[in-house]
Amino acid sequence: MVRLEVSQHTEHKEVAACVEWGPNYELMSGSDDMQIVRWSVDGDMLAKTTLDSCATSIAWMPSIGKSVSDLYAVSCTDGTYRLMTGNGREDRKVRAHHGAAIRVAWTFDGTALYSAGEDGELKVWSKTGNLRSTPIKAASPIYCFAIGASEEVCYACDRKVHVSSVGERKAQSWKAHEGIVLCVDWNTVNNLIVSGGEDCRYKVWDALGRQLYQSQPYAHVITSVAWTPNGAYFAVGAFNMLRLCDRTGWSCCREHAGGGSILDISWTTDGTQLAGASGTGAIVLGQLVDRCHEWNYFEVTLETPRLVVVNDLSNDTYEKLDFSRDRVVEMAVGYGHLVVTTTTQCYVYSTSNWNTPYIFDTPQTLSLVLLSDRHFLGMAPSSLTIYAYDGGRKVSQPRFHGLRTEILSATSISLAPDVVAILDGADKKLVRLFDVATGAPRAGVETIQHKKDVTFLALNQNMAGSFVRQLIVIDSNKELHVYQTNAASHGHKLQTQVDAASWHDKSEMLAAIADGQLLVWAYPQIVWIDRDLLPSTVTSKDVGTEVGKLPTIVSFRDSRLVARRADGPLVTATVSPHPAALFGFASTGRWNEALRLCQFVEDEPCWAMMAAMAINDRNLDVAEISFAALKLIDKLEYVLYIKGLPSEEATNAEIALLKRRPEDAERILLQATPPLLYRAIKLNIRLFRWGRALELAVKHRSHVDTVLAYRARYLKDFKKEEKDDRFKQLNDSVKWDWAQIKAKKDLEKKEEYARAGKPMPEKDKNSCFPSGGLGEYKITAQDRGELRSRCSTGPKKPGGGAVPGWGMMASMPRA
């Protein structure tokens, strides 16, 4: 369990009121002794600056790009704020409020400074100290405020918390505590607000004011709260108490600060170390330790800020990795590698050799590391960089206009072996796709536009077989959608009321926790192959009592899914191992083993998954067996019809039509050499796309009479009248005859069979298939009855033999 390793450092002689980390991991603290003290990251005092008033808050101007800011603002009890440089020189003194200026904060781009005071006013200033506006005038002092991601400010007055957009007078407000609200913080990554007050509680809210968590009442008032930059944790300060909490509210650890009340808390930009200003004047430093990551048999734990311990559970051995030069910032393990970042370097270990890592310097500290099979991604304060495991070679640097890394996290970035997906900070409905090798926008599909704000996204990691790179998103309505990134397509909604979702690490399985149910999709790609089979591939399990509300998925590997409850404990659930094994067989072309597995387990999701994978791989024999096992007579007959087609283009077109892609099917037929015009026209007639069928016939000046004849038959059968002016006009000028239509059709089919080197079969009166098109037999109405009665054991030919493919399966030994 993650915890804080706390130390105290004393230099101030009076109450320490505020702390703030600078861009170079230097800490600034202010006190009632009118001193501004600069500290090193280890707690050593570096310099002092004397003011003529007591400091109440410090705000360091954000660094823009690669340039490091050297300017910070200090609010004081005399109603002024000061603009000061890093060496302690005062650049400007600005009279801001009547009474004390309580707090100052910069916008994320450093273009404006906000200040709040005892006069109840919140003001906006330019970075040179000129007043821009006074958007808020409250009746009570504003003790705390926080700036949101999109020009919004959250502030507290008396017992209420308000959220207002700059320039709008109307604010959304709600009663937050039974006492005066003393502290509030708003995280731009998870869009959650945490507040604390004199009622001795801290609470977590969403941006709309809905309460997500409420703590128990403690012995003393809550004096400070602060989110980590990545939104994973927040710290709570009170009298002799420093508490680290998960984003959902539950407490990870409690440390006895021993320095009186913690009046202010500040986190470093990498979110691994905090500083607190205490009532006795001591500065409290806390480092996140005991962070643990697991992968296969390896358990990696950060025991101290500079020591990582690797436990190999397969042979019960330990490896100690000592980082004496710098403290550890981030680490990640997976895909046979361990990546550890410090404040200045990056270490890449192989799980087979812990002695000789690749080490390279990083221009900026990497605060987030994401792994994939071939590369890993590191996020710095101003850039995203993709590295190779061998030597830490820089592969690419995805970038776009408006990229803001401070609002990105592991839930808004996803890395796959060939593509990286990034949520646009300016438009939360837009997901940008980049090629890993070049860092450029992905060819063909550069963006995916969702209809609602995206709160979570993830790419599947599979690279085997005829893969399709897929992206899942969970939006603000808690709906789970899946998209293709290989080709432009509309997304498909899989589930509603989804709390968490995760891809399997090796196969195409997708798991989600929704409304107390654990849902597992064996093969989500099936939505683009045969959507009718999707329900057959979904298994569900009631886990509501185990996972509770608002769970998160920690990992999904092999046949085990690990979820974390909203109150902290880990819960393990098991899923079927068969879909992952089946995918492994089919993706590598081992269809015999896949069929034996399906025959052995006799599981409907496995047969449906097998049918979809076979259709996608154009393996019609396996598809025939799978549809027969599923007792889907209509699909079985259609597969048998496809197998009897003479040309490869016709076969591919019908498979595309089976996948509900009629445009692709038509294009395949028209691009054949020579074009299969009759089949393209007949395809549109079968789909009742009469306008398109007539358009093709007129364009190619052939089979116009065919379209008119089938149209006349359709209207007669359904007892309708012609209302289309195009058909009315052609009916007056074009005469058709069924004998001539049949002759033209037979001629084209004969030429198609001749090109394929096959004799044209005779048409059976009672069959919709050509005799001989299925091998050496034909299907009649009697055969269809036989199919329905014997699907579970295998369809039979009239002579008693099995349908092709079943003989192969019958000869296989059972697993």
Side-chain angles (χ1 to χ4, degrees):
M1 181 69 70
V2 64
R3 63 179 180 85
L4 286 171
E5 187 178 87
V6 175
S7 62
Q8 290 190 23
H9 307 269
T10 303
E11 189 64 34
H12 293 289
K13 296 180 175 57
E14 298 291 340
V15 173
C18 52
V19 287
E20 176 76 359
W21 286 100
N24 291 324
Y25 293 100
E26 291 183 350
L27 179 67
M28 311 297 290
S29 64
S31 169
D32 286 357
D33 60 5
M34 302 185 186
Q35 299 281 339
I36 300 293
V37 178
R38 186 170 63 174
W39 308 79
S40 70
V41 70
D42 296 320
D44 300 324
M45 195 272 291
L46 301 178
K48 285 185 179 181
T49 301
T50 302
L51 301 177
D52 58 3
S53 182
C54 300
T56 57
S57 71
I58 302 174
W60 204 290
M61 184 178 178
S63 299
I64 306 301
K66 296 183 179 180
S67 61
V68 178
S69 173
D70 191 43
L71 184 70
Y72 64 92
V74 182
S75 61
C76 299
T77 54
D78 61 357
T80 64
Y81 75 83
R82 327 289 174 92
L83 296 178
M84 306 186 68
T85 59
N87 58 12
R89 180 174 60 88
E90 183 177 305
D91 275 359
R92 187 163 185 179
K93 179 179 178 180
V94 179
R95 173 64 60 178
H97 296 275
H98 300 286
I102 299 176
R103 185 168 180 82
V104 289
W106 293 92
T107 57
F108 292 100
D109 55 5
T111 58
L113 178 71
Y114 286 68
S115 68
E118 285 184 329
D119 55 5
E121 294 182 344
L122 188 144
K123 298 182 178 181
V124 184
W125 308 82
S126 70
K127 59 183 179 181
T128 57
N130 298 318
L131 180 63
R132 288 183 177 175
S133 64
T134 306
I136 297 169
K137 294 182 179 181
S140 303
I142 299 177
Y143 290 113
C144 51
F145 70 89
I147 302 174
S150 55
E151 296 299 324
E152 291 182 316
V153 61
C154 173
Y155 64 96
C157 282
D158 197 16
R159 302 182 181 187
K160 289 187 176 182
V161 171
H162 310 261
V163 174
S164 175
S165 297
V166 175
E168 295 183 8
R169 294 294 179 182
K170 187 176 181 181
Q172 183 178 0
S173 61
W174 63 91
K175 182 180 178 181
H177 292 267
E178 296 301 324
I180 295 176
V181 181
L182 298 178
C183 49
V184 67
D185 196 15
W186 190 0
N187 186 262
T188 57
V189 174
N190 57 33
N191 204 29
L192 297 180
I193 298 170
V194 60
S195 64
E198 289 186 345
D199 59 356
C200 306
R201 297 178 186 267
Y202 66 87
K203 300 181 181 182
V204 181
W205 315 83
D206 65 8
L208 299 177
R210 293 173 294 195
Q211 181 177 303
L212 304 179
Y213 181 83
Q214 173 181 279
S215 72
Q216 62 179 350
Y218 294 104
H220 302 281
V221 300
I222 305 300
T223 52
S224 58
V225 292
W227 283 102
T228 58
N230 60 10
Y233 305 99
F234 64 88
V236 178
F239 180 75
N240 283 345
M241 182 188 79
L242 182 61
R243 190 176 293 272
L244 180 68
C245 303
D246 184 77
R247 63 186 296 272
T248 56
W250 59 274
S251 179
C252 299
C253 73
R254 178 191 182 278
E255 300 296 332
H256 182 76
S261 297
I262 305 297
L263 301 178
D264 191 24
I265 298 175
S266 176
W267 287 92
T268 55
T269 55
D270 55 42
T272 60
Q273 189 169 0
L274 64 78
S278 70
T280 61
I283 301 301
V284 179
L285 297 181
Q287 173 77 36
L288 287 182
V289 294
D290 281 357
R291 287 181 286 165
C292 185
H293 299 267
E294 296 180 357
W295 179 76
N296 282 359
Y297 300 109
F298 298 99
E299 186 180 76
V300 183
T301 305
L302 179 65
E303 290 201 348
T304 69
R306 288 177 169 83
L307 178 64
V308 174
V309 177
V310 180
N311 182 12
D312 187 348
L313 300 177
S314 62
N315 51 27
D316 198 22
T317 58
Y318 289 85
E319 292 284 346
K320 292 185 177 181
L321 310 179
D322 189 11
F323 304 89
S324 56
R325 175 178 170 179
D326 301 298
R327 61 185 179 85
V328 174
V329 173
E330 186 60 70
M331 59 184 185
V333 61
Y335 303 99
H337 294 86
L338 168 66
V339 178
V340 180
T341 66
T342 66
T343 54
T344 59
Q345 292 181 314
C346 181
Y347 297 74
V348 182
Y349 293 87
S350 172
T351 54
S352 59
N353 182 8
W354 301 105
N355 298 320
T356 56
Y358 294 111
I359 306 174
F360 60 94
D361 294 334
T362 55
Q364 295 177 306
T365 303
L366 302 182
S367 58
L368 174 66
V369 175
L370 299 178
L371 306 184
S372 72
D373 184 57
R374 300 176 181 176
H375 313 91
F376 70 93
L377 180 145
M379 186 176 76
S382 61
S383 64
L384 296 171
T385 307
I386 298 174
Y387 299 93
Y389 288 116
D390 52 338
R393 175 177 52 86
K394 183 186 293 186
V395 177
S396 63
Q397 223 170 12
R399 59 171 64 91
F400 58 91
H401 180 69
L403 174 64
R404 293 174 56 186
T405 58
E406 71 271 8
I407 63 175
L408 297 178
S409 68
T411 61
S412 53
I413 309 176
S414 185
L415 177 67
D418 60 332
V419 63
V420 57
I422 305 173
L423 182 63
D424 193 308
D427 183 2
K428 293 297 184 66
K429 301 180 180 67
L430 185 66
V431 179
R432 297 182 179 271
L433 305 176
F434 297 88
D435 188 84
V436 166
T438 63
R442 190 168 176 83
V445 183
E446 297 184 1
T447 60
I448 291 177
Q449 185 72 49
H450 194 60
K451 294 182 179 179
K452 298 292 182 180
D453 287 354
V454 175
T455 59
F456 172 84
L457 59 86
L459 291 163
N460 63 335
Q461 298 296 316
N462 164 52
M463 283 292 291
S466 301
F467 78 96
V468 171
R469 182 67 61 219
Q470 298 170 83
L471 173 76
I472 57 169
V473 300
I474 300 177
D475 59 27
S476 55
N477 287 347
K478 303 185 74 172
E479 294 178 345
L480 176 64
H481 295 253
V482 60
Y483 289 88
Q484 281 182 301
T485 65
N486 295 34
S489 63
H490 297 289
H492 182 81
K493 183 168 69 175
L494 295 176
Q495 187 63 32
T496 59
Q497 297 300 314
V498 177
D499 294 315
S502 175
W503 290 102
H504 193 263
D505 64 332
K506 294 179 181 177
S507 73
E508 288 287 276
M509 281 197 296
L510 173 64
I513 300 176
D515 199 20
Q517 296 285 322
L518 172 60
L519 303 173
V520 178
W521 289 265
Y523 192 59
Q525 189 180 334
I526 206 169
V527 300
W528 292 287
I529 300 173
D530 191 346
R531 199 170 300 171
D532 295 339
L533 298 176
L534 179 63
S536 300
T537 64
V538 184
T539 57
S540 62
K541 181 189 297 185
D542 188 0
V543 294
T545 57
E546 289 85 0
V547 302
K549 296 181 179 180
L550 301 176
T552 57
I553 297 178
V554 177
S555 64
F556 185 25
R557 302 188 184 99
D558 300 326
S559 59
R560 187 182 68 165
L561 183 140
V562 180
R564 187 181 293 278
R565 291 170 54 100
D567 54 357
L570 293 175
V571 178
T572 301
T574 58
V575 301
S576 173
H578 302 132
L582 184 61
F583 178 80
F585 289 142
S587 61
T588 54
R590 298 157 63 186
W591 294 102
N592 288 347
E593 289 91 332
L595 285 170
R596 280 200 292 267
L597 177 62
C598 288
Q599 183 189 28
F600 176 73
V601 300
E602 296 181 355
D603 186 31
E604 182 180 2
C606 286
W607 278 118
M609 179 179 174
M610 173 72 85
M613 289 191 296
I615 290 296
N616 197 43
D617 204 52
R618 295 179 174 83
N619 192 327
L620 297 179
D621 290 331
V622 175
E624 174 189 347
I625 297 169
S626 303
F627 285 132
L630 291 168
K631 302 181 182 180
L632 298 176
I633 306 302
D634 53 343
K635 297 184 183 297
L636 174 61
E637 288 192 10
Y638 193 58
V639 169
L640 294 176
Y641 162 68
I642 295 174
K643 289 177 66 176
L645 295 174
S647 63
E648 182 180 356
E649 294 86 353
T651 300
N652 293 338
E654 293 296 337
I655 291 176
L657 192 59
L658 181 60
K659 294 180 180 181
R660 290 179 170 83
R661 286 159 31 190
E663 289 79 12
D664 291 348
E666 179 188 294
R667 185 173 58 254
I668 292 171
L669 294 173
L670 293 178
Q671 289 178 353
T673 307
L676 300 177
L677 182 59
Y678 172 74
R679 288 194 180 275
I681 292 174
K682 188 63 180 293
L683 180 144
N684 284 285
I685 292 175
R686 286 158 52 195
L687 297 177
F688 302 102
R689 297 176 15 162
W690 297 103
R692 179 57 181 167
L694 184 61
E695 180 184 340
L696 287 176
V698 172
K699 178 181 179 181
H700 293 273
R701 298 182 180 181
S702 179
H703 290 291
V704 176
D705 55 343
T706 303
V707 178
L708 296 177
Y710 278 104
R711 175 74 170 183
R713 176 184 291 179
Y714 163 76
L715 295 174
K716 179 181 178 182
D717 291 343
F718 287 90
K719 299 179 180 179
K720 294 183 177 181
E721 295 182 0
E722 184 62 73
K723 296 181 180 180
D724 194 318
D725 293 337
R726 294 174 299 173
F727 283 94
K728 289 181 178 180
Q729 182 179 359
L730 289 172
N731 281 329
D732 295 336
S733 58
V734 178
K735 302 300 180 182
W736 49 267
D737 180 70
W738 278 112
Q740 294 179 358
I741 293 172
K742 185 177 184 304
K744 287 195 298 182
K745 175 184 69 175
D746 291 343
L747 178 60
E748 289 195 14
K749 285 192 173 183
K750 185 176 180 180
E751 292 175 352
E752 183 182 357
Y753 274 92
R755 289 196 302 270
K758 299 178 181 178
M760 182 175 178
E762 296 180 2
K763 183 75 174 179
D764 185 78
K765 295 181 180 180
N766 299 321
S767 174
C768 61
F769 306 109
S771 61
L774 303 176
E776 299 179 352
Y777 71 101
K778 55 192 176 182
I779 291 186
T780 64
Q782 180 181 357
D783 295 328
R784 295 191 187 95
E786 183 73 9
L787 284 175
R788 293 187 179 91
S789 64
R790 300 185 62 85
C791 247
S792 58
T793 59
K796 301 293 183 179
K797 291 191 299 183
V803 169
W806 277 93
M808 175 179 63
M809 179 138 179
S811 64
M812 295 179 183
R814 287 186 176 270

